[in-house]
Amino acid sequence: YYYYYSLASKTMDIIMILTCIINSTYTTTWDIKMDWGLGQPNSQHLFLRDELVFKRGFYYIACIIDIILRFAWIINFIQIPRLNGAILGFILAAFEGYRRIQWNVFRLENEHLNNCGHYRAIKEIPLPFALRENVKQPNEQDE
């Protein structure tokens, strides 16, 4: 019984690890290519895109950090002394929080550049009411 349970447990661990690797690889690629708009093959900036808001180095560093933090779950399988479950959970949650903030910055930047590039962004939003200087007063005469 123990041999069968041990074999099934190891098999499930391998399946879980392979599934996590596939998931992390796919989501990292989606973040960088689709959400951030990076990785354009004919871009004037190597592996980035033509229009950049920040310095080029920030994008390369952000990509590396995104890859590392997408695979941070691996820390769960490494035996680190003096790192119990609560501390490890807190560290991984902080890493994930940072990764999501970073993702939002680059996602919003890419969306803004796409909106401006396709003329979907406007500088001024019309108000649903008239301003005081545009409204005629009852005692004013047309000249």
Side-chain angles (χ1 to χ4, degrees):
Y1 174 76
Y2 178 74
Y3 174 75
Y4 176 75
Y5 179 75
S6 173
L7 182 63
S9 176
K10 288 179 183 178
T11 304
M12 289 307 294
D13 285 347
I14 291 170
I15 290 171
M16 185 190 74
I17 290 171
L18 287 174
T19 305
C20 288
I21 289 172
I22 291 168
N23 176 57
S24 295
T25 303
Y26 180 79
T27 53
T28 301
T29 304
W30 190 271
D31 283 352
I32 294 170
K33 180 81 173 136
M34 303 302 289
D35 291 337
W36 296 355
L38 303 176
Q40 295 179 357
N42 298 324
S43 172
Q44 65 186 17
H45 305 288
L46 184 64
F47 299 120
L48 299 178
R49 61 175 121 81
D50 289 333
E51 291 184 69
L52 302 176
V53 174
F54 306 110
K55 293 181 180 178
R56 275 190 317 196
F58 287 125
Y59 296 93
Y60 294 120
I61 291 169
C63 289
I64 292 169
I65 289 172
D66 190 60
I67 292 167
I68 290 169
L69 295 182
R70 279 287 186 181
F71 284 89
W73 55 267
I74 294 173
I75 295 173
N76 288 323
F77 296 101
I78 300 171
Q79 298 297 326
I80 302 173
R82 290 191 243 156
L83 194 62
N84 65 19
I87 295 172
L88 182 62
F90 175 78
I91 291 170
L92 290 176
F95 284 165
E96 180 63 16
Y98 173 80
R99 189 197 64 75
R100 289 179 183 217
I101 290 170
Q102 173 183 283
W103 178 89
N104 274 297
V105 168
F106 289 103
R107 175 68 178 124
L108 289 174
E109 178 225 11
N110 182 44
E111 190 65 27
H112 174 71
L113 290 174
N114 285 333
N115 285 339
C116 289
H118 294 93
Y119 305 107
R120 290 186 298 234
I122 56 174
K123 291 182 181 178
E124 190 174 301
I125 299 172
L127 297 174
F129 54 87
L131 294 176
R132 183 172 280 255
E133 63 248 12
N134 295 341
V135 177
K136 286 186 179 182
Q137 299 299 326
N139 58 1
E140 289 182 13
Q141 299 287 331
D142 283 335
E143 296 178 12

